Amino acid sequence: MLAVRTSSRRLGVALAALAAGGLVLAGCAGETAETDAAPTASASAAPSSSAPSTSEPGEPAAVVPQGEPMTVAADLVAPWSVAVVGETVLVSERDTGDIREIVGDTTRVVGTVPGVVFGGEGGLLGIAADGDDGLFVYSTGSGGNRVERFALTGAPGSLALGDAETLLDGIPSARTHNGGRIALGPDGMLYVTTGDANVPDLAQDRDSLAGKILRMTPEGAVPADNPFPDSFVYSYGHRNPQGIAWAEDGTLFASEFGQNTWDELNIIAPGANYGWPIVEGQGGGADFVDPVQQWSTAEASPSGIAVIEGTVFIANLRGERVRAVPVADPATATEHYVGELGRIRDVVAAPDGDLWILTGNTDGRGAGPRDGDDRLLTVAVG
């Protein structure tokens, strides 16, 4: 059962922490991998939250969720991503195109992203803060997926979307496999995950933007130190990555939907090839980088990820659970809330150090909405 705490109190604590400084931002399955099957418990990962830390001296200790998640906001419609801009928490809704602002115990529409083409897994996807007055947005348009920057006007509680600037468009899109996670890295560059748009061979084509993790300047230019000259491509050979986040030492982790066999957690290196569609999961040989951990598609469908202290937290859709993976031992995991919250679309490092969990029960898949769905939830970690 979910515990419900007064949203305004929890949000006030989070925003006070944000004002004091220190925010970590984290960051769809193919129709075959993400089905409506009931979640199953993994035999290879302990369900307990009491696993010992494997951190080396000087590394942050791994942490896990503590207790029951509490509601920050409810009655969201197919939410996809969370961003904290200044003192404001924003949520994107895939199937409405709306960006919502959390105001006390309620939400309000800041604006609707224009020109969004809805259908399947396309629509309004990832959002990420650009300072205190801007928002990076990934969405599906008539010419494919695109990355835009919107100005934000007004004050918290009455924000509005300003003008949009297109940073990159023409990213291949389809009803499935659109990627969509977007985040500013610790190097100040903007990272974007893209799916193979249901054309697997595009993932191996470095001239295509599909099936990649892209890296660009916040202004939309190719960084001079990207691994391939004059190319946004940072890594390739991806099927449908939907989560990216950095550990304290700068290690970039990414979650990825497999096809029929293995979903993946990868450590991303510049210029590396992650094998799709030649290989799915581990065992690719010297030409490809293996995932550090893999799960059957029935147990996972991993979407957003976040790193808090020494732990990578992973949202799972079909698997209906939160995984906690120690940064120092990324081949291991513990599992939390299996089947309790339904489908989970995103996890976010909150400004106060808690874990935010965004459910995904109104997206047309799975068993459907529960009372109050969809929700943004919060839980302490330790």
Side-chain angles (χ1 to χ4, degrees), residues 179-207:
R181 198 64 60 187
I182 185 169
L184 276 172
D187 57 0
M189 296 294 113
L190 189 63
Y191 290 74
V192 180
T193 73
T194 71
D196 67 9
N198 270 329
V199 184
D201 288 346
L202 292 180
Q204 289 294 320
D205 181 358
R206 295 211 307 262
D207 291 329

Side-chain angles (χ1 to χ4, degrees), residues 12-31:
V13 172
L15 296 181
L18 175 61
L23 168 66
V24 183
L25 283 176
C28 292
E31 291 176 340

